């Protein structure tokens, strides 16, 4: 076949026949080789692989039938010999024997060379076609293999399926098991198999493509794409013809890309991108199906401080722990995402009652507050949640997000560990808050803040021996005093509070140092100022403390000074423990401000170091004389503190009745309008002088 001119081998012991054959065949354009016996014939046929072999049946030594059999055997798998038996015998048994031995036809002697010419031409044509088909099939198989693809034909009428032979390989299917669509049913999820069932409902002609993945545990998760077309055959039956391609790799790549674009690698939650995509999708659905949808933004309180003071590794650990708890609350209509930093989002795609959202928010707050254990330490934090609902609070994703954010800030302003539903009035508050923040910045940079000092009376000596420094702000633009109760909570929402606290601290120390030089008779040993938890746990505070101790003018006064912190900051505070130790080591004291308004029990007082100070909140003082229980409680606190050697200050004392009650109860110090309001440095000095003279 490699030859351009077909090659014919004549095997006959009759030299005359061979000669005639040679003449005739070369006239017809064939190449010719000859063998005068069967043995040589076998040898030449294996050696030259002729297109056609003319084989005499009747030869001495090795007859035609036997030679034919040997050629067939020896050529197996190498080439396909086309043997034409030449004979004078046309008995049925002989003809049977010929075909049985592997011959494809026979010719009677004397040969009709014209008939042979056409027969040979046909044989060669068929062989060439076969060869071409074989090559094409091989090419197709190779292409299939490269493309990881197979094809099939499915007669929807008879259910007969014809698969390309590489199908088992494509599916990693055992080679000895015939493959069929129905076997796929066992390894695909029923929802995915429905794509196959759907074919039966389709009408020809049309194309139909789909993808499916194997989900059986015993199979690697492989994915396939089917490109099919429906047609009708001559019997008017619908045939589905399709290629099926292994797209596992592409799917995995797509998944990774999708994963990277939509997942937060730290917490394994959806990221902001995915949250917005999902939200927009669900918004459309909510619009068409006319139902409500809610989103929540969860922000961890004081997380920045945790990150700054305990390091990012601990921060990450906390985020992962929180994310896990959130994930556990996921449901069909509830999805969680991490928007970034310490901000998470919840998408509640459908709910019946707004109460459901409130309950979920409460549950989330509880989950967040549960302690997180690391390094054998326990840490508990809180979160603030803002809720916005569609369609009331916004029609699109960006508006809903903005409003949930506003609600979240509102929850934070209301003391953290809260949730809040968005309310239009909050927008006004946001505006005011932004304005307030700007004004505070200006006040800091232009030096608009001042300090006043509210005197404390030491009851047993009757002397003023302490002060609390309080910040004051006269806003020159608004031309009015702005109460700390107004601007401190706003400042606490950002790092502005730390700048304020820092300023107060420095200003106070400057004042103390100045008094020491210019008014040496001023004998104050309880000089306190307010500081917030946020400032305490900021790394900048540590260096401020250091710089105080290094300052020669301030150093001698450290043990006169107390830092007022709320009981929440104190007891909340594994995270602040180190800084409290530092403060105490420097000789400064810690005063627990607003005692009684937080969560701490009397029991927790027992853990305080003896040198600390307790400030009973004004709300208790206000109740003095109004009911016996309140009186008993105050007496109890005072006597407990006395026995623990903790100094007690009663703050917000306004009346003589309160004063004498506290005096009798054994309170150490009194602070309040009954004595004096906060006074500027000069006014305080004259007040002190007058008081001491009395
Ligand atoms: P606080 O620490 O509990 O301070 C006591 C507040 O009660 C002061 O209000 C004080 O003027 C007021 N007060 C004292 N005696 C009486 C009284 O007999 N009757 C009444 N009605 N009020 C009395 P102020 O100065 O407006 O401060 C309010 C809050 O603002 C403070 O509560 C404190 O939490 C915060 N704050 C004030 N100054 C500073 C500061 O320098 N730094 C920080 N971080 N917070 C401050
Ligand atoms: Ca205070
Ligand atoms: Ca207070």
């Amino acid at each position: 076949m490699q030859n351009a001119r077909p090659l014919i081998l004549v095997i006959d012991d009759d030299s005359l026949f061979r000669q005639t054959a040679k003449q005739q065949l070369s006239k017809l354009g064939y190449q010719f080789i000859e063998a005068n016996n069967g043995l040589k014939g076998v040898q030449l046929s294996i050696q030259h692989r002729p297109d056609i072999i003319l084989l005499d049946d009747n030869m001495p030594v090795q007859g035609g039938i036997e030679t034919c059999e040997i050629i067939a055997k020896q050529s197996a798998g190498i080439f396909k010999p086309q043997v034409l038996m030449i004979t004078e015998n046309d008995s049925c048994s002989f003809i049977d024997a010929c075909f049985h031995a592997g011959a494809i036809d026979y010719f009677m002697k004397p040969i009709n060379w014209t008939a042979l010419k056409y027969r040979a031409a046909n044989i060669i044509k068929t062989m060439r076609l076969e060869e071409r088909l074989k090559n094409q099939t091989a090419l197709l198989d190779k292409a299939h293999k490269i493309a990881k693809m197979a094809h099939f034909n499915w007669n929807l009428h008879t259910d007969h399926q014809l698969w390309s032979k590489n199908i088992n390989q494509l599916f990693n299917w055992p080679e000895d098991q015939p493959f069929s669509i129905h076997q796929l049913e066992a390894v695909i999820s029923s929802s995915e198999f429905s794509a196959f069932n759907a074919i039966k409902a389709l009408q020809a002609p049309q194309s139909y493509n789909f993808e499916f993945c194997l989900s059986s545990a015993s199979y690697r998760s492989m994915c396939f794409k089917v490109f099919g077309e429906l047609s009708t055959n001559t019997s008017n039956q619908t045939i589905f013809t399709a290629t099926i391609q292994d797209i596992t790799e592409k799917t995995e790549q797509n998944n990774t890309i999708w994963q990277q674009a939509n997942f937060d690698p730290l917490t394994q939650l959806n990221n902001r991108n995915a949250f917005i995509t999902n939200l927009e999708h669900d918004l459309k659905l909510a619009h068409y199906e006319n139902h409500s949808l809610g989103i929540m933004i969860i922000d961890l309180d004081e997380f920045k401080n945790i990150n700054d003071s305990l390091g990012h590794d601990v921060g990450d650990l906390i985020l992962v722990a929180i994310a896990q708890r959130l994930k556990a609350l996921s449901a069909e209509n509830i999805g969680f995402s991490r928007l970034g930093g310490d901000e998470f989002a919840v998408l509640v795609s459908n709910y019946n009652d707004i109460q459901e959202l409130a309950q979920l928010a409460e549950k989330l707050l509880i989950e967040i507050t549960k302690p997180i254990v690391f390094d054998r330490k326990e840490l508990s934090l809180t979160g603030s949640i803002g809720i916005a609902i569609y369609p009331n609070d916004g029609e699109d994703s960006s508006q809903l997000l903005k409003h949930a954010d506003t609600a979240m800030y509102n929850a934070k302003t209301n003391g953290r560990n809260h949730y809040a539903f968005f309310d239009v009035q909050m927008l006004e508050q946001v505006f005011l808050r932004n304005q307030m923040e700007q004004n505070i910045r200006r006040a800091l940079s232009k030096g608009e803040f001042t300090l006043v000092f509210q005197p404390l009376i030491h009851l047993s000596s009757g002397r003023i021996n302490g002060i609390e420094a309080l910040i004051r702000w006269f806003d020159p633009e608004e031309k009015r005093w702005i109460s700390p109760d107004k601007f401190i909570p706003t400042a606490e929402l950002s790092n502005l509070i730390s700048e304020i606290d820092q300023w107060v601290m420095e200003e106070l120390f400057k004042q103390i140092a100045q008094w020491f030089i210019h008014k040496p008779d001023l004998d104050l040993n309880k000089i306190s100022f307010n500081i917030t938890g946020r400032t305490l746990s900021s790394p900048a505070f540590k260096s401020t403390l250091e710089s105080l101790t290094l300052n020669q003018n301030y150093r001698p006064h450290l043990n006169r000074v107390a830092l007022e912190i709320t009981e929440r900051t104190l007891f909340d505070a594994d995270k602040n423990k180190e800084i409290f130790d530092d403060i105490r080591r420097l000789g400064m004291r810690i005063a627990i401000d607003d005692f009684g308004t937080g969560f701490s029990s009397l029991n927790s007082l027992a853990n305080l170091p003896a040198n600390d100070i307790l400030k009973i909140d004004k709300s208790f003082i206000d109740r003095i004389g109004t009911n016996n229980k309140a009186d008993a409680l105050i007496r109890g606190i005072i006597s407990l503190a006395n026995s623990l050697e903790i100094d007690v200050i009663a703050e917000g004392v306004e009346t003589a009745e309160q004063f004498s009650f506290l005096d009798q109860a054994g309170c150490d110090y009194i602070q309040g309008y009954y004595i004096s309001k906060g006074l500027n440095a000069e006014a305080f000095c004259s007040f002190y002088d007058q008081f001491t003279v009395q």
Side-chain angles (χ1 to χ4, degrees):
M1 271 311 276
Q2 299 92 331
N3 313 315
R5 283 196 300 147
L7 177 66
I8 294 188
L9 166 64
V10 175
I11 308 171
D12 200 326
D13 55 329
D14 178 350
S15 62
L16 193 63
F17 178 82
R18 293 201 307 271
Q19 213 170 344
T20 321
K22 185 175 183 179
Q23 266 172 11
Q24 294 289 337
L25 290 170
S26 52
K27 236 197 282 171
L28 294 172
Y30 293 113
Q31 296 188 75
F32 177 87
I33 47 174
E34 58 187 294
N36 59 3
N37 64 57
L39 291 174
K40 186 150 183 233
V42 171
Q43 189 195 347
L44 287 181
S45 65
I46 299 302
Q47 199 176 340
H48 294 281
R49 303 185 197 173
D51 297 293
I52 293 172
I53 299 168
L54 297 181
L55 177 56
D56 180 25
D57 74 312
N58 189 7
M59 291 183 292
V61 187
Q62 186 174 281
I65 299 285
E66 195 185 344
T67 304
C68 188
E69 276 170 350
I70 296 172
I71 290 174
K73 206 183 278 170
Q74 294 201 0
S75 65
I78 303 169
F79 79 108
K80 218 171 145 195
Q82 308 287 313
V83 178
L84 294 176
M85 206 61 97
I86 312 293
T87 183
E88 287 165 356
N89 176 357
D90 64 351
S91 71
C92 292
S93 62
F94 174 73
I95 292 168
D96 273 348
C98 280
F99 281 93
H100 213 250
I104 59 161
D105 211 346
Y106 69 94
F107 270 82
M108 297 297 290
K109 276 184 178 173
I111 299 284
N112 178 336
W113 290 103
T114 308
L116 184 90
K117 175 176 95 177
Y118 288 109
R119 186 76 185 96
N122 270 339
I123 291 170
I124 286 164
K125 196 168 143 197
T126 311
M127 274 176 60
R128 297 237 153 118
L129 279 176
E130 257 180 31
E131 189 80 7
R132 233 167 68 201
L133 191 66
K134 207 171 107 193
N135 284 344
Q136 276 174 359
T137 312
L139 195 69
L140 189 65
D141 284 350
K142 196 158 181 186
H144 272 167
K145 201 169 160 196
I146 293 169
K148 294 189 176 168
M149 187 188 261
H151 62 255
F152 67 97
N153 238 339
W154 183 16
N155 184 323
L156 300 179
H157 192 74
T158 61
D159 196 35
H160 180 258
Q161 296 161 27
L162 194 70
W163 294 88
S164 61
K165 66 173 193 248
N166 62 335
I167 190 68
N168 288 43
Q169 209 180 359
L170 190 72
F171 275 88
N172 279 337
W173 206 263
E175 284 298 336
D176 53 349
Q177 277 179 35
F179 188 82
S180 95
I181 285 172
H182 309 295
Q183 270 153 336
L184 274 180
E185 202 167 354
V187 287
I188 312 183
S189 71
S190 56
S191 64
E192 296 221 34
F193 192 75
S194 64
F196 282 99
N197 286 331
I199 299 173
K200 293 180 204 153
L202 300 173
Q203 302 272 320
Q206 67 169 294
S207 49
Y208 177 68
N209 308 331
F210 60 94
E211 290 177 11
F212 66 90
C213 292
L214 303 189
S215 55
S216 148
S218 52
Y219 279 85
R220 193 166 65 88
S221 61
M222 296 172 84
C223 294
F224 296 89
K225 175 144 191 151
V226 176
F227 283 98
E229 241 170 50
L230 288 119
S231 56
T232 2
N233 68 7
T234 44
S235 322
N236 211 21
Q237 294 168 331
T238 309
I239 311 288
F240 183 64
T241 309
T243 60
I244 183 163
Q245 189 174 18
D246 179 350
I247 54 163
T248 312
E249 220 167 282
K250 200 172 127 215
T251 313
E252 276 167 4
Q253 273 168 6
N254 285 350
N255 284 349
T256 323
I257 293 170
W258 193 88
Q259 195 95 358
Q260 280 163 354
N262 291 286
F263 262 89
D264 169 43
L266 177 69
T267 60
Q268 298 299 313
L269 289 177
N270 282 343
N271 63 13
R272 173 180 280 272
N273 194 25
F275 174 75
I276 290 174
T277 314
N278 292 345
L279 173 59
E280 282 173 355
H281 171 266
D282 288 358
L283 275 173
K284 277 189 202 140
L285 218 66
H287 176 73
Y288 286 121
E289 294 177 359
N290 200 19
H291 61 67
S292 300
L293 173 155
I295 67 166
M296 300 189 190
I297 290 184
I298 309 171
D299 191 276
L300 302 182
D301 300 328
E302 312 272 355
F303 185 75
K304 192 183 171 304
N305 284 343
I306 292 183
N307 244 354
D308 289 347
S309 55
L310 300 177
H312 284 261
D313 288 348
V314 176
D316 283 356
L317 211 100
I318 290 167
L319 290 173
V320 171
I322 298 281
Q324 269 166 358
R325 294 179 193 171
L326 297 183
K327 237 183 283 180
L329 293 175
S330 302
E332 203 179 334
N333 66 333
I334 302 173
F336 291 91
S337 308
R338 178 179 173 213
L339 297 185
D342 60 337
E343 220 177 42
F344 296 89
V346 193
L347 174 55
V348 185
S349 51
N350 195 355
Y351 61 88
N352 299 320
D353 183 345
I354 201 146
Q355 205 46 36
E356 273 177 43
L357 293 181
Q359 279 162 2
L360 176 63
E362 265 164 36
K363 222 191 279 178
L364 291 171
L365 289 177
I366 292 170
E367 284 301 321
I368 293 169
T369 352
K370 285 184 184 163
I372 293 167
V373 182
F374 70 95
D375 254 7
R376 274 183 263 130
K377 279 186 232 153
E378 244 186 35
L379 193 128
S380 94
L381 63 171
T382 56
S384 300
I385 300 180
I387 309 170
I389 55 180
Y390 167 88
N392 301 25
D393 302 336
E395 299 265 321
D396 59 40
S397 60
S398 70
Q399 206 168 33
L400 282 170
L401 264 169
K402 208 175 105 197
H403 289 170
D405 206 47
T406 304
M408 186 274 287
Y409 267 100
N410 190 275
K412 258 200 206 302
T413 328
N414 288 335
R416 311 198 156 99
N417 199 20
H418 275 65
Y419 66 88
F421 281 92
F422 173 75
D423 179 330
V424 259
Q425 284 172 354
M426 289 176 182
L427 291 178
E428 170 78 4
Q429 289 169 13
V430 171
F431 174 76
L432 291 177
R433 191 183 78 217
N434 287 340
Q435 208 166 37
M436 176 69 87
E437 280 184 3
Q438 264 175 34
N439 292 348
I440 294 173
R441 271 195 198 98
R442 188 204 62 218
L444 276 165
S445 69
K446 295 204 168 161
E448 294 171 11
F449 291 121
T450 50
L451 283 185
V452 296
F453 309 94
Q454 188 175 28
L456 258 74
I457 289 191
H458 183 227
L459 280 173
S460 58
S461 67
R463 283 185 49 237
I464 290 178
N465 78 342
I467 49 170
E468 176 181 0
L470 294 161
I471 195 166
R472 290 293 173 262
W473 179 20
F474 185 80
D475 185 333
E477 279 184 13
E478 294 197 21
K479 297 195 178 49
R480 64 184 178 99
W481 291 97
I482 301 186
S483 156
D485 282 332
K486 287 262 171 342
F487 68 85
I488 294 286
T490 308
E492 279 179 339
L493 292 175
S494 68
N495 271 342
L496 282 173
I497 190 61
S498 298
E499 288 184 49
I500 291 178
D501 285 350
Q502 210 98 329
W503 178 85
V504 169
M505 229 169 132
E506 274 166 32
E507 193 65 17
L508 176 64
F509 272 95
K510 265 190 235 162
Q511 184 65 67
I512 298 171
Q514 216 173 29
W515 273 334
F516 191 70
I517 298 166
H518 299 294
K519 195 167 172 44
D521 65 320
L522 193 62
D523 184 12
L524 303 175
N525 56 28
K526 255 193 193 53
I527 301 172
S528 68
F529 65 99
N530 299 283
I531 195 151
T532 58
R534 196 178 173 120
T535 307
L536 282 179
S537 48
S538 72
F541 182 69
K542 232 184 148 99
S543 47
T544 308
L545 270 189
E546 269 162 29
S547 68
L548 281 181
T549 45
L550 293 176
N551 189 319
Q552 294 302 327
N553 296 326
Y554 301 166
R555 208 187 168 118
H557 310 296
L558 291 177
N559 59 1
R560 301 174 190 275
V561 174
L563 282 76
E564 293 195 11
I565 56 175
T566 58
E567 51 177 320
R568 207 182 99 78
T569 311
L570 183 78
F571 294 116
D572 170 34
D574 233 12
K575 64 178 178 191
N576 290 332
K577 196 179 171 318
E578 221 174 283
I579 202 82
F580 290 144
D581 290 346
D582 285 349
I583 292 168
R584 288 174 179 133
R585 206 174 310 121
L586 291 174
M588 296 197 279
R589 301 168 71 176
I590 291 190
I592 301 143
D593 208 352
D594 305 342
F595 183 80
T597 57
F599 320 100
S600 49
S601 58
L602 288 184
N603 198 21
S604 53
L605 291 183
N607 297 327
L608 293 180
N611 209 21
D612 279 8
I613 303 165
L614 197 71
K615 297 190 78 171
I616 303 177
D617 192 64
K618 182 175 183 302
S619 56
F620 283 89
I621 308 303
D622 287 346
R623 276 184 271 157
I624 289 176
T626 59
N627 75 57
N628 294 340
K629 276 190 194 160
D631 291 358
L633 188 62
I634 295 174
R635 279 201 199 93
I637 294 173
I638 293 171
S639 78
L640 180 64
N642 283 343
S643 64
L644 293 168
E645 287 175 54
I646 297 169
D647 282 340
V648 186
I649 301 175
E651 62 176 350
V653 178
E654 291 180 336
T655 66
E657 187 198 353
Q658 292 164 351
F659 187 93
S660 59
F661 173 91
L662 291 160
D663 195 5
Q664 280 161 25
C667 185
D668 302 304
Y669 299 86
I670 298 285
Q671 177 185 357
Y673 292 173
Y674 183 66
I675 317 296
S676 168
K677 292 193 170 192
L679 304 164
N680 67 31
E682 204 183 327
F684 170 73
C685 285
S686 26
F687 181 83
Y688 180 86
D689 289 342
Q690 277 174 15
F691 202 91
T692 317
V693 170
Q694 271 175 0

